[in-house]
Amino acid sequence: MKERISRVCQGIAPSATLQLNAQVNEMRAQGMDVIGLGAGEPDFATPAFICQAAKKALDQGETRYTAAAGTPRLRQAIGTDLQKRKGLAYAADQVIVSTGAKQALMNALAALLNPGDEVLLPAPCWISYPEMIAMAGGRAVMIPATEAEGFIPAFPKICAAVTARTRAIIINSPSNPTGAVWSREQLLAVGRLAVEKDFFIISDEIYDQLVYDGAQALSIASLAPEIYDRTIVINGWSKTYAMTGWRLGYAAAPRDLAAAMGAYQSHFTGNANAMAQAAGLAALEGDQGCVREMAAAFAHRRDLMADLIGELPYVSCFVPRGAFYILMNVQSLLGRSFQGEIIGDSGDLCRMLLRHALIAPVPGDPFGAPGYVRISFAISEGRIMEAMHRLGAFLAQVK
Protein backbone atom coordinates (compact mmCIF):
# COMPACT_ATOMS: atom_id res chain seq x y z
CA MET A 1 0.00 0.00 0.00
CA LYS A 2 1.31 3.43 -0.91
CA GLU A 3 2.03 5.93 1.83
CA ARG A 4 -0.97 8.15 2.56
CA ILE A 5 1.10 11.03 3.90
CA SER A 6 4.08 12.58 2.12
CA ARG A 7 7.50 12.09 3.65
CA VAL A 8 7.89 15.84 4.01
CA CYS A 9 4.76 16.10 6.16
CA GLN A 10 5.58 12.91 8.05
CA GLY A 11 8.81 14.53 9.17
CA ILE A 12 7.30 17.78 10.45
CA ALA A 13 7.05 18.13 14.22
CA PRO A 14 4.01 20.13 15.41
CA SER A 15 4.78 23.50 16.97
CA ALA A 16 5.46 23.04 20.68
CA THR A 17 4.21 26.54 21.45
CA LEU A 18 0.93 26.08 19.56
CA GLN A 19 0.38 22.71 21.24
CA LEU A 20 0.94 24.32 24.63
CA ASN A 21 -1.42 27.17 23.81
CA ALA A 22 -4.12 24.66 22.84
CA GLN A 23 -3.69 22.81 26.14
CA VAL A 24 -3.83 26.04 28.11
CA ASN A 25 -7.02 27.08 26.33
CA GLU A 26 -8.59 23.69 27.04
CA MET A 27 -7.78 23.97 30.76
CA ARG A 28 -9.16 27.52 30.87
CA ALA A 29 -12.35 26.27 29.24
CA GLN A 30 -12.65 23.90 32.20
CA GLY A 31 -12.51 26.87 34.56
CA MET A 32 -8.82 26.69 35.57
CA ASP A 33 -6.91 29.94 36.06
CA VAL A 34 -3.87 29.04 33.97
CA ILE A 35 -1.25 31.73 33.36
CA GLY A 36 0.16 31.25 29.87
CA LEU A 37 3.85 32.11 29.65
CA GLY A 38 4.32 30.83 26.13
CA ALA A 39 2.66 33.66 24.23
CA GLY A 40 4.53 34.82 21.16
CA GLU A 41 2.32 37.85 20.81
CA PRO A 42 1.84 41.17 22.58
CA ASP A 43 -1.12 41.34 24.93
CA PHE A 44 -1.92 44.87 23.76
CA ALA A 45 -4.80 45.67 21.43
CA THR A 46 -3.94 46.70 17.90
CA PRO A 47 -3.82 50.53 17.95
CA ALA A 48 -7.17 52.05 17.07
CA PHE A 49 -5.96 54.11 14.08
CA ILE A 50 -4.72 50.90 12.43
CA CYS A 51 -8.07 49.18 12.95
CA GLN A 52 -9.85 52.23 11.56
CA ALA A 53 -7.80 52.03 8.38
CA ALA A 54 -8.91 48.44 7.84
CA LYS A 55 -12.55 49.38 8.47
CA LYS A 56 -12.28 52.25 6.00
CA ALA A 57 -10.81 49.94 3.36
CA LEU A 58 -13.67 47.51 3.91
CA ASP A 59 -16.26 50.30 3.67
CA GLN A 60 -14.66 51.52 0.45
CA GLY A 61 -14.91 48.09 -1.12
CA GLU A 62 -11.21 47.23 -1.06
CA THR A 63 -12.06 43.54 -0.92
CA ARG A 64 -10.60 42.29 -4.18
CA TYR A 65 -7.26 40.81 -5.17
CA THR A 66 -4.28 43.11 -5.00
CA ALA A 67 -1.02 42.56 -6.84
CA ALA A 68 0.37 39.22 -5.68
CA ALA A 69 3.39 40.92 -4.10
CA GLY A 70 1.29 43.57 -2.35
CA THR A 71 -0.13 46.97 -3.21
CA PRO A 72 2.40 49.34 -4.78
CA ARG A 73 1.72 51.95 -2.10
CA LEU A 74 2.43 49.54 0.76
CA ARG A 75 5.58 48.20 -0.86
CA GLN A 76 6.81 51.75 -1.37
CA ALA A 77 5.99 52.60 2.26
CA ILE A 78 8.02 49.61 3.44
CA GLY A 79 10.97 50.84 1.39
CA THR A 80 10.59 54.31 2.89
CA ASP A 81 10.43 52.88 6.42
CA LEU A 82 13.55 50.75 5.92
CA GLN A 83 15.44 53.74 4.52
CA LYS A 84 14.38 55.96 7.41
CA ARG A 85 15.04 53.49 10.22
CA LYS A 86 17.98 51.46 8.88
CA GLY A 87 19.49 53.28 5.93
CA LEU A 88 18.44 50.47 3.59
CA ALA A 89 17.56 51.31 -0.01
CA TYR A 90 14.78 49.09 -1.37
CA ALA A 91 12.51 50.08 -4.24
CA ALA A 92 8.93 48.82 -4.33
CA ASP A 93 9.83 46.01 -6.74
CA GLN A 94 12.30 44.66 -4.18
CA VAL A 95 9.59 44.12 -1.55
CA ILE A 96 7.21 41.17 -1.28
CA VAL A 97 4.27 41.52 1.12
CA SER A 98 3.17 38.15 2.49
CA THR A 99 0.63 36.49 4.74
CA GLY A 100 2.80 36.91 7.82
CA ALA A 101 6.56 36.85 8.24
CA LYS A 102 6.37 33.04 8.30
CA GLN A 103 5.34 33.00 4.67
CA ALA A 104 8.05 35.53 3.83
CA LEU A 105 10.57 33.12 5.39
CA MET A 106 9.19 30.19 3.41
CA ASN A 107 9.34 32.26 0.22
CA ALA A 108 12.99 33.04 0.94
CA LEU A 109 13.89 29.41 1.62
CA ALA A 110 12.04 28.27 -1.50
CA ALA A 111 13.91 30.82 -3.59
CA LEU A 112 17.32 29.78 -2.27
CA LEU A 113 17.36 26.06 -1.52
CA ASN A 114 17.90 23.03 -3.67
CA PRO A 115 17.52 19.52 -2.17
CA GLY A 116 20.28 18.84 0.34
CA ASP A 117 21.45 22.43 0.72
CA GLU A 118 22.46 23.37 4.24
CA VAL A 119 21.24 26.34 6.27
CA LEU A 120 23.22 27.43 9.32
CA LEU A 121 21.15 28.06 12.44
CA PRO A 122 22.72 29.79 15.45
CA ALA A 123 21.01 28.17 18.42
CA PRO A 124 18.99 28.50 20.58
CA CYS A 125 16.63 29.48 17.78
CA TRP A 126 12.95 29.72 16.92
CA ILE A 127 11.42 26.26 16.73
CA SER A 128 9.96 26.75 13.24
CA TYR A 129 13.27 27.37 11.46
CA PRO A 130 14.44 23.73 11.27
CA GLU A 131 11.01 22.53 10.15
CA MET A 132 10.71 25.23 7.50
CA ILE A 133 14.16 24.41 6.16
CA ALA A 134 13.21 20.75 5.90
CA MET A 135 9.94 21.64 4.18
CA ALA A 136 11.96 23.57 1.58
CA GLY A 137 14.21 20.55 0.96
CA GLY A 138 17.20 21.76 2.96
CA ARG A 139 19.05 20.58 6.04
CA ALA A 140 19.41 22.64 9.19
CA VAL A 141 22.90 22.80 10.70
CA MET A 142 22.65 23.91 14.32
CA ILE A 143 25.46 26.02 15.78
CA PRO A 144 24.92 25.95 19.55
CA ALA A 145 25.80 28.91 21.74
CA THR A 146 26.01 28.93 25.51
CA GLU A 147 24.65 31.42 28.00
CA ALA A 148 28.26 32.41 28.74
CA GLU A 149 28.55 33.41 25.06
CA GLY A 150 25.43 35.54 25.34
CA PHE A 151 23.59 32.92 23.27
CA ILE A 152 25.40 34.07 20.12
CA PRO A 153 27.89 31.52 18.72
CA ALA A 154 31.55 32.50 18.77
CA PHE A 155 32.69 33.29 15.24
CA PRO A 156 35.05 30.28 14.97
CA LYS A 157 32.05 28.00 15.56
CA ILE A 158 30.23 29.60 12.66
CA CYS A 159 33.26 29.26 10.40
CA ALA A 160 33.65 25.59 11.34
CA ALA A 161 30.02 24.87 10.36
CA VAL A 162 30.43 26.13 6.78
CA THR A 163 30.72 23.43 4.12
CA ALA A 164 30.48 23.23 0.35
CA ARG A 165 26.73 22.63 0.81
CA THR A 166 26.14 25.78 2.89
CA ARG A 167 23.55 27.88 1.11
CA ALA A 168 22.42 30.33 3.79
CA ILE A 169 22.46 31.35 7.43
CA ILE A 170 19.45 32.62 9.38
CA ILE A 171 20.16 35.42 11.83
CA ASN A 172 17.37 36.45 14.19
CA SER A 173 18.29 39.62 16.07
CA PRO A 174 16.74 40.28 18.54
CA SER A 175 16.33 36.57 19.03
CA ASN A 176 13.46 34.30 19.87
CA PRO A 177 13.88 32.66 22.41
CA THR A 178 16.90 34.37 23.98
CA GLY A 179 16.37 38.09 23.38
CA ALA A 180 20.04 38.33 22.36
CA VAL A 181 20.96 41.23 20.08
CA TRP A 182 23.88 40.80 17.66
CA SER A 183 26.53 43.54 17.68
CA ARG A 184 27.83 45.33 14.61
CA GLU A 185 31.10 43.42 14.88
CA GLN A 186 29.36 40.05 15.09
CA LEU A 187 27.12 40.84 12.13
CA LEU A 188 29.96 42.21 10.04
CA ALA A 189 32.05 39.09 10.62
CA VAL A 190 29.21 36.85 9.43
CA GLY A 191 28.52 39.11 6.46
CA ARG A 192 32.12 39.00 5.32
CA LEU A 193 32.14 35.23 5.76
CA ALA A 194 29.02 34.93 3.59
CA VAL A 195 30.71 36.95 0.87
CA GLU A 196 33.93 34.95 1.11
CA LYS A 197 32.24 31.52 1.17
CA ASP A 198 29.43 32.45 -1.23
CA PHE A 199 26.27 31.87 0.79
CA PHE A 200 23.21 33.96 1.57
CA ILE A 201 21.85 35.60 4.73
CA ILE A 202 18.24 35.54 5.86
CA SER A 203 17.93 38.30 8.44
CA ASP A 204 14.79 37.84 10.54
CA GLU A 205 14.22 41.27 12.10
CA ILE A 206 10.66 40.79 13.38
CA TYR A 207 11.56 42.04 16.90
CA ASP A 208 13.78 44.91 15.76
CA GLN A 209 11.80 47.69 17.46
CA LEU A 210 11.52 45.88 20.80
CA VAL A 211 14.97 46.57 22.23
CA TYR A 212 16.09 47.68 25.69
CA ASP A 213 19.01 49.19 27.59
CA GLY A 214 20.00 51.30 24.60
CA ALA A 215 20.49 48.28 22.35
CA GLN A 216 20.30 48.82 18.61
CA ALA A 217 18.99 46.11 16.32
CA LEU A 218 21.14 46.68 13.26
CA SER A 219 20.31 45.09 9.93
CA ILE A 220 23.22 43.10 8.54
CA ALA A 221 22.18 44.28 5.06
CA SER A 222 23.14 47.84 6.02
CA LEU A 223 26.81 47.08 6.73
CA ALA A 224 28.25 46.81 3.20
CA PRO A 225 26.97 46.72 -0.41
CA GLU A 226 28.34 43.23 -0.98
CA ILE A 227 26.51 41.98 2.13
CA TYR A 228 23.30 43.75 1.07
CA ASP A 229 23.54 41.92 -2.26
CA ARG A 230 23.19 38.50 -0.59
CA THR A 231 20.76 39.33 2.22
CA ILE A 232 17.01 38.83 2.46
CA VAL A 233 15.45 40.97 5.19
CA ILE A 234 12.34 39.54 6.85
CA ASN A 235 10.00 41.64 8.97
CA GLY A 236 6.35 42.32 9.67
CA TRP A 237 3.76 44.00 11.84
CA SER A 238 2.90 41.26 14.34
CA LYS A 239 5.22 42.10 17.22
CA THR A 240 5.79 45.82 16.68
CA TYR A 241 2.15 46.84 16.24
CA ALA A 242 0.37 44.02 18.13
CA MET A 243 -1.02 42.69 14.85
CA THR A 244 -0.41 38.95 15.15
CA GLY A 245 -3.88 37.97 13.93
CA TRP A 246 -3.69 40.21 10.88
CA ARG A 247 -1.11 37.89 9.28
CA LEU A 248 1.02 40.45 7.50
CA GLY A 249 4.76 40.35 6.87
CA TYR A 250 7.28 41.10 4.18
CA ALA A 251 10.65 40.34 2.65
CA ALA A 252 13.02 42.90 1.12
CA ALA A 253 15.80 41.64 -1.11
CA PRO A 254 17.94 42.19 -4.21
CA ARG A 255 15.79 42.25 -7.33
CA ASP A 256 16.57 38.75 -8.59
CA LEU A 257 15.68 37.19 -5.25
CA ALA A 258 12.59 39.37 -4.84
CA ALA A 259 11.40 38.37 -8.30
CA ALA A 260 11.85 34.68 -7.48
CA MET A 261 9.97 35.02 -4.18
CA GLY A 262 7.22 37.00 -5.86
CA ALA A 263 6.76 34.36 -8.55
CA TYR A 264 6.65 31.62 -5.92
CA GLN A 265 4.07 33.47 -3.84
CA SER A 266 1.93 34.25 -6.87
CA HIS A 267 1.25 30.52 -7.25
CA PHE A 268 1.42 29.51 -3.59
CA THR A 269 -1.02 31.95 -1.96
CA GLY A 270 -1.33 35.10 -4.04
CA ASN A 271 -1.67 38.39 -2.23
CA ALA A 272 -1.91 39.02 1.48
CA ASN A 273 -5.30 40.07 2.84
CA ALA A 274 -6.32 43.37 1.20
CA MET A 275 -7.74 44.99 4.35
CA ALA A 276 -4.70 43.91 6.36
CA GLN A 277 -2.50 45.63 3.79
CA ALA A 278 -4.46 48.85 4.29
CA ALA A 279 -3.95 48.48 8.03
CA GLY A 280 -0.24 47.82 7.55
CA LEU A 281 0.11 50.98 5.47
CA ALA A 282 -1.59 53.03 8.18
CA ALA A 283 0.73 51.51 10.79
CA LEU A 284 3.86 52.54 8.91
CA GLU A 285 2.65 56.02 8.01
CA GLY A 286 0.93 56.84 11.32
CA ASP A 287 2.13 58.10 14.70
CA GLN A 288 4.78 55.74 16.05
CA GLY A 289 4.09 56.69 19.65
CA CYS A 290 2.22 53.40 20.11
CA VAL A 291 5.40 51.47 19.27
CA ARG A 292 7.44 53.41 21.81
CA GLU A 293 4.78 52.94 24.49
CA MET A 294 4.63 49.17 24.00
CA ALA A 295 8.42 48.86 23.98
CA ALA A 296 8.64 50.85 27.22
CA ALA A 297 6.01 48.63 28.84
CA PHE A 298 7.88 45.50 27.76
CA ALA A 299 11.12 46.88 29.18
CA HIS A 300 9.47 47.43 32.57
CA ARG A 301 7.94 43.95 32.52
CA ARG A 302 11.29 42.42 31.61
CA ASP A 303 12.92 44.08 34.61
CA LEU A 304 10.12 42.93 36.90
CA MET A 305 10.27 39.32 35.73
CA ALA A 306 14.08 39.15 35.84
CA ASP A 307 14.14 40.62 39.35
CA LEU A 308 11.55 38.14 40.60
CA ILE A 309 13.40 35.20 39.06
CA GLY A 310 16.55 36.40 40.80
CA GLU A 311 14.83 35.94 44.16
CA LEU A 312 13.95 32.27 43.52
CA PRO A 313 15.98 29.14 44.34
CA TYR A 314 17.32 26.74 41.66
CA VAL A 315 16.69 29.08 38.71
CA SER A 316 18.40 32.05 37.06
CA CYS A 317 18.00 33.89 33.80
CA PHE A 318 19.76 35.55 30.91
CA VAL A 319 18.48 39.13 30.81
CA PRO A 320 17.36 39.81 27.23
CA ARG A 321 18.11 43.03 25.38
CA GLY A 322 15.27 42.56 22.92
CA ALA A 323 12.02 40.71 22.07
CA PHE A 324 9.72 39.71 24.96
CA TYR A 325 11.03 36.39 26.23
CA ILE A 326 13.29 35.30 29.06
CA LEU A 327 15.21 32.06 28.75
CA MET A 328 15.24 30.76 32.31
CA ASN A 329 18.05 28.41 33.36
CA VAL A 330 16.55 25.40 35.16
CA GLN A 331 19.56 23.07 35.04
CA SER A 332 19.79 22.94 38.85
CA LEU A 333 16.30 21.43 38.94
CA LEU A 334 17.04 18.49 36.65
CA GLY A 335 17.33 15.25 38.55
CA ARG A 336 15.50 16.66 41.57
CA SER A 337 11.96 15.68 42.50
CA PHE A 338 8.59 17.29 43.14
CA GLN A 339 6.17 15.29 45.28
CA GLY A 340 8.17 12.18 44.49
CA GLU A 341 8.24 12.74 40.71
CA ILE A 342 11.66 13.18 39.08
CA ILE A 343 12.27 16.24 36.93
CA GLY A 344 14.15 14.65 34.05
CA ASP A 345 14.25 17.51 31.55
CA SER A 346 12.67 20.87 30.78
CA GLY A 347 9.65 19.16 29.26
CA ASP A 348 8.99 17.28 32.51
CA LEU A 349 9.29 20.53 34.42
CA CYS A 350 6.85 22.37 32.18
CA ARG A 351 4.28 19.58 32.45
CA MET A 352 4.59 19.63 36.24
CA LEU A 353 4.29 23.41 36.39
CA LEU A 354 1.17 23.32 34.27
CA ARG A 355 -0.41 20.57 36.35
CA HIS A 356 0.59 21.70 39.83
CA ALA A 357 1.18 25.47 39.57
CA LEU A 358 -1.15 26.37 36.68
CA ILE A 359 1.61 28.24 34.85
CA ALA A 360 2.66 27.36 31.32
CA PRO A 361 6.22 28.08 30.19
CA VAL A 362 7.64 26.42 27.06
CA PRO A 363 10.38 23.75 27.23
CA GLY A 364 13.73 24.90 25.93
CA ASP A 365 14.63 21.66 24.16
CA PRO A 366 12.68 22.37 20.92
CA PHE A 367 14.55 25.69 20.69
CA GLY A 368 17.92 23.97 21.03
CA ALA A 369 18.17 25.03 24.69
CA PRO A 370 18.05 21.93 26.91
CA GLY A 371 18.05 22.82 30.59
CA TYR A 372 16.09 26.02 29.96
CA VAL A 373 12.47 27.09 29.66
CA ARG A 374 11.16 30.07 27.72
CA ILE A 375 8.81 32.42 29.49
CA SER A 376 7.11 35.38 27.86
CA PHE A 377 6.69 38.75 29.53
CA ALA A 378 4.02 39.76 27.02
CA ILE A 379 1.49 39.61 29.86
CA SER A 380 0.42 42.15 32.47
CA GLU A 381 2.57 43.00 35.46
CA GLY A 382 -0.05 41.55 37.77
CA ARG A 383 0.02 38.22 35.96
CA ILE A 384 3.83 38.25 35.96
CA MET A 385 3.88 38.67 39.74
CA GLU A 386 1.28 35.96 40.24
CA ALA A 387 3.12 33.57 37.89
CA MET A 388 6.40 34.07 39.73
CA HIS A 389 4.61 33.60 43.06
CA ARG A 390 3.24 30.27 41.83
CA LEU A 391 6.66 29.28 40.54
CA GLY A 392 8.18 30.09 43.93
CA ALA A 393 5.57 27.98 45.72
CA PHE A 394 6.36 25.07 43.40
CA LEU A 395 10.12 25.41 43.88
CA ALA A 396 9.69 25.44 47.67
CA GLN A 397 8.50 21.83 47.40
CA VAL A 398 11.35 20.62 45.22
CA LYS A 399 13.81 18.24 46.86
Side-chain angles (χ1 to χ4, degrees):
M1 183 178 178
K2 294 181 179 178
E3 294 177 316
R4 290 170 60 85
I5 307 299
S6 74
R7 292 174 186 173
V8 169
C9 284
Q10 286 180 35
I12 298 171
S15 168
T17 51
L18 294 183
Q19 285 183 317
L20 176 68
N21 288 342
Q23 188 174 1
V24 168
N25 290 334
E26 183 178 338
M27 293 175 70
R28 286 173 174 166
Q30 297 171 6
M32 302 180 191
D33 180 26
V34 180
I35 300 178
L37 296 172
E41 62 181 346
D43 61 325
F44 300 104
T46 303
F49 75 93
I50 298 174
C51 296
Q52 288 298 325
K55 293 176 184 177
K56 182 179 179 181
L58 185 61
D59 289 341
Q60 292 180 341
E62 296 179 26
T63 59
R64 299 185 179 278
Y65 293 131
T66 72
T71 64
R73 187 176 173 190
L74 178 56
R75 295 163 77 190
Q76 183 61 56
I78 292 167
T80 299
D81 179 65
L82 289 173
Q83 177 69 60
K84 179 181 178 181
R85 292 195 300 111
K86 302 192 175 190
L88 290 170
Y90 289 106
D93 63 351
Q94 293 179 264
V95 176
I96 308 297
V97 179
S98 302
T99 306
K102 264 189 176 179
Q103 187 190 357
L105 280 162
M106 278 304 304
N107 288 348
L109 292 167
L112 291 177
L113 299 186
N114 290 310
D117 282 348
E118 296 175 349
V119 180
L120 306 182
L121 279 182
C125 66
W126 183 41
I127 58 177
S128 288
Y129 290 145
E131 305 299 334
M132 296 169 84
I133 291 166
M135 289 163 63
R139 187 176 79 86
V141 177
M142 307 293 277
I143 310 174
T146 65
E147 186 172 350
E149 294 175 300
F151 289 125
I152 296 174
F155 185 62
K157 286 186 181 180
I158 299 174
C159 294
V162 177
T163 72
R165 299 306 303 267
T166 301
R167 182 65 171 165
I169 185 171
I170 297 179
I171 292 178
N172 179 208
S173 177
S175 163
N176 172 11
T178 68
V181 178
W182 290 55
S183 69
R184 171 183 288 272
E185 292 72 24
Q186 289 168 322
L187 291 172
L188 188 58
V190 170
R192 288 171 173 167
L193 181 66
V195 173
E196 177 189 349
K197 299 296 184 180
D198 191 23
F199 60 86
F200 291 88
I201 303 159
I202 298 174
S203 183
D204 184 350
E205 303 175 10
I206 193 71
Y207 297 97
D208 66 339
Q209 296 197 65
L210 300 178
V211 288
Y212 320 116
D213 302 332
Q216 185 178 11
L218 295 171
S219 176
I220 192 170
S222 70
L223 300 184
E226 61 273 20
I227 298 174
Y228 169 99
D229 190 52
R230 56 183 58 247
T231 299
I232 299 173
V233 172
I234 305 292
N235 212 321
W237 289 256
S238 294
K239 318 300 182 180
T240 302
Y241 297 99
M243 292 177 65
T244 52
W246 298 76
R247 307 312 305 135
L248 194 66
Y250 68 82
R255 282 187 172 83
D256 57 339
L257 297 176
M261 288 186 286
Y264 181 84
Q265 180 168 297
S266 72
H267 294 289
F268 193 51
T269 61
N271 64 272
N273 178 288
M275 288 76 75
Q277 289 191 62
L281 177 64
L284 293 181
E285 294 185 342
D287 184 353
Q288 300 302 295
C290 59
V291 177
R292 294 187 292 272
E293 289 173 6
M294 284 188 277
F298 283 134
H300 192 269
R301 294 174 183 185
R302 178 206 64 163
D303 293 342
L304 174 63
M305 183 174 277
D307 288 346
L308 292 173
I309 290 172
E311 297 173 0
L312 298 175
Y314 303 119
V315 298
S316 61
C317 72
F318 173 82
V319 180
R321 300 184 70 203
F324 42 65
Y325 312 102
I326 281 180
L327 204 56
M328 186 168 67
N329 188 327
V330 298
Q331 294 173 24
S332 294
L333 285 168
L334 305 186
R336 295 181 181 272
S337 65
F338 176 85
Q339 296 183 356
E341 186 177 357
I342 299 298
I343 305 171
D345 58 23
S346 66
D348 290 340
L349 176 62
C350 288
R351 285 186 288 272
M352 291 180 192
L353 287 171
L354 182 57
R355 186 166 67 249
H356 297 287
L358 295 183
I359 57 176
V362 184
D365 295 66
F367 296 94
Y372 290 82
V373 300
R374 192 195 76 173
I375 52 180
S376 170
F377 50 87
I379 58 175
S380 71
E381 292 180 20
R383 295 301 268 175
I384 289 172
M385 289 188 286
E386 175 61 23
M388 295 302 99
H389 172 74
R390 293 182 189 183
L391 177 58
F394 176 92
L395 295 176
Q397 299 182 60
V398 169
K399 297 181 179 180

